[in-house]
Amino acid sequence: MKNIIVTLLLCGSFLSVNAAEKPTVTQLFSVQTVKVQKIRTSHSKKNYGYVKADEARVYDVSPRFGGFVEKLYANKIYMRVKKGEALVKLYSPEVFKAKEDYLNSYKYAKIKNNRGMLKSAKLKLELLNIDAKEIQSVLSKRKLASDTTIYAPVSGYLFMKNITNGSAFNAKAKLFEIVNLDEVWVEVKIFEDDVKWLKSADEFSVRFKTTDKVYKTSKKLLYPNLDPKEATLTLRLRLENKDHRLFPGMYASVISKDKARSYLTLPQSAVILKNGRYYAFMLGEYEGEYEPVEIAVKPLNNQTYIILSGLNAGDEVVNNALFMMDSDAQINGLY
């Protein structure tokens, strides 16, 4: 009796096989293979956080004397001021008296040649934190100005203003808060499981919705304090912000990377999980036969596994139709 030829349409191609012969898995499913590759790359993780002002760059302007505001130059909240720029002109009875004592000491020193009293009077003005140019003008002009001026100690933004024109204030009152934003912090919430990862992470890329610029940093600090409600810790990153594109409160996405290392890898499509163990299928003794090999893996990313054991670089394994390979291996008792 003649053999019957059966034509099958499968996987986009025609396969002509003899009905008397058993087609192999390779014939039926056009089995594709892939080699174990050795690549050099780094792990990455994504977290989210917020911009916060650097606490070391926050300055309070609190005079060491009381007085009255005569003219307010820094009169708008969040306005930007430069270091040395006049913030407010005011009258202070205490400062005026200290200036008077300084001038009188100067006149007395010229007559009696007593420099000690002059130094003490000048020191009093310095301790009141009066600007050096203003102290110098007392002697250069030989005339007392009733007003005194407070200048910005740093460049930054007025995040707080507690006076208006005509205000009265006491010594040690906080008149202004100036925040310098040349550098800022990004605080990121992380889970306890990521603490070990962060010890090896040495590169951070930070992105914001308001700009296409990617900020990179390696300056990190993990706060030694766990939030018991959220079971999270806080990671602090320091970013350069010379162009002042970043402001406190901005939402940030943070991608962290560890140092690049070499790994043996396979695509996830070449690995099957069975009974809590991972397997790949290698070419068997005969053509068209594939045998399961138990391997140890861990994820590199969403598409790739790192091969920890069981395979070597260059080994060729099946990259598709793993469900058929699995069935065939069970039928033949290979597990």
Side-chain angles (χ1 to χ4, degrees):
M1 184 176 179
K2 294 183 178 180
N3 292 334
I4 301 174
I5 304 298
V6 180
T7 303
L8 301 174
L9 174 60
L10 190 61
C11 296
S13 61
F14 289 95
L15 298 176
S16 297
V17 299
N18 193 315
E21 299 176 356
K22 181 181 178 182
T24 65
V25 172
T26 302
Q27 290 175 313
L28 288 175
F29 287 90
S30 184
V31 174
Q32 301 171 5
T33 59
V34 65
K35 290 184 178 181
V36 177
Q37 291 187 338
K38 188 173 186 178
I39 64 172
R40 185 171 179 81
T41 187
S42 58
H43 290 84
S44 64
K45 284 182 178 288
K46 190 172 186 178
N47 298 89
Y48 299 93
Y50 294 89
V51 176
K52 187 177 179 181
D54 182 347
E55 293 176 1
R57 293 174 177 269
V58 178
Y59 299 85
D60 289 347
V61 178
S62 302
R64 301 172 185 178
F65 50 84
F68 305 86
V69 175
E70 291 190 345
K71 187 171 183 179
L72 185 61
Y73 302 107
N75 55 6
K76 297 180 181 67
I77 193 71
Y78 296 122
M79 70 178 289
R80 189 174 178 182
V81 297
K82 294 182 179 180
K83 183 178 180 179
E85 183 178 341
L87 299 176
V88 59
K89 182 169 71 174
L90 49 87
Y91 167 70
S92 169
E94 184 178 357
V95 174
F96 184 77
K97 180 65 168 60
K99 288 181 182 179
E100 189 177 40
D101 291 344
Y102 182 46
L103 183 57
N104 291 334
S105 297
Y106 174 74
K107 293 177 181 179
Y108 182 80
K110 289 185 67 175
I111 299 172
K112 299 295 184 178
N113 195 25
N114 185 345
R115 309 294 296 182
M117 183 182 294
L118 181 63
K119 289 182 180 178
S120 296
K122 183 180 181 181
L123 179 61
K124 184 176 181 180
L125 287 170
E126 291 173 343
L127 292 176
L128 288 172
N129 203 28
I130 305 303
D131 185 72
K133 291 181 180 178
E134 189 172 325
I135 296 175
Q136 185 179 357
S137 71
V138 173
L139 301 185
S140 62
K141 294 181 179 180
R142 306 289 198 278
K143 185 178 179 181
L144 296 179
S146 62
D147 57 76
T148 188
T149 303
I150 294 179
Y151 300 90
V154 293
S155 297
Y157 296 85
L158 287 184
F159 271 52
M160 185 180 293
K161 178 181 73 69
N162 291 327
I163 54 174
T164 59
N165 284 306
S167 293
F169 59 90
N170 296 319
K172 300 183 289 186
K174 182 177 177 180
L175 305 188
F176 304 99
E177 182 183 84
I178 301 175
V179 180
N180 180 279
L181 296 178
D182 290 348
E183 286 188 3
V184 295
W185 294 344
V186 171
E187 291 192 348
V188 185
K189 294 294 183 181
I190 62 166
F191 293 101
E192 289 182 81
D193 294 343
D194 289 333
V195 173
K196 184 177 180 180
W197 152 258
L198 285 172
K199 291 180 179 179
S200 59
D202 64 344
E203 180 183 325
F204 300 86
S205 299
V206 189
R207 291 175 169 83
F208 302 88
K209 294 180 179 179
T210 55
T211 175
D212 294 330
K213 182 178 178 180
V214 179
Y215 294 80
K216 294 185 179 295
T217 184
S218 59
K219 300 175 182 178
K220 63 180 180 179
L221 173 66
L222 185 64
Y223 292 163
N225 185 31
L226 177 71
D227 184 340
K229 293 182 180 179
E230 298 180 356
T232 59
L233 293 100
T234 300
L235 172 70
R236 189 184 79 194
L237 304 175
R238 185 182 296 275
L239 299 184
E240 294 283 343
N241 187 36
K242 298 296 185 181
D243 53 8
H244 293 181
R245 295 185 184 183
L246 307 180
F247 297 99
M250 281 185 173
Y251 186 69
S253 62
V254 180
I255 296 178
S256 53
K257 292 184 178 180
D258 60 2
K259 293 181 180 179
R261 294 174 55 189
S262 295
Y263 302 100
L264 295 179
T265 63
L266 275 178
Q268 289 194 359
S269 57
V271 178
I272 188 171
L273 176 62
K274 184 177 181 63
N275 298 326
R277 298 180 179 181
Y278 291 92
Y279 294 90
F281 290 89
M282 291 184 64
L283 181 65
E285 184 178 355
Y286 302 102
E287 183 179 358
E289 290 185 356
Y290 295 89
E291 298 178 355
V293 177
E294 185 177 348
I295 58 177
V297 301
K298 70 176 183 179
L300 176 63
N301 52 46
N302 292 335
Q303 295 83 33
T304 311
Y305 278 123
I306 296 173
I307 307 302
L308 302 176
S309 63
L311 293 171
N312 299 310
D315 286 347
E316 193 167 0
V317 299
V318 176
N319 193 32
N320 68 333
L322 296 190
F323 68 98
M324 283 299 300
M325 297 293 171
D326 178 45
S327 299
D328 189 59
Q330 291 185 72
I331 293 172
N332 291 287
L334 299 179
Y335 282 121

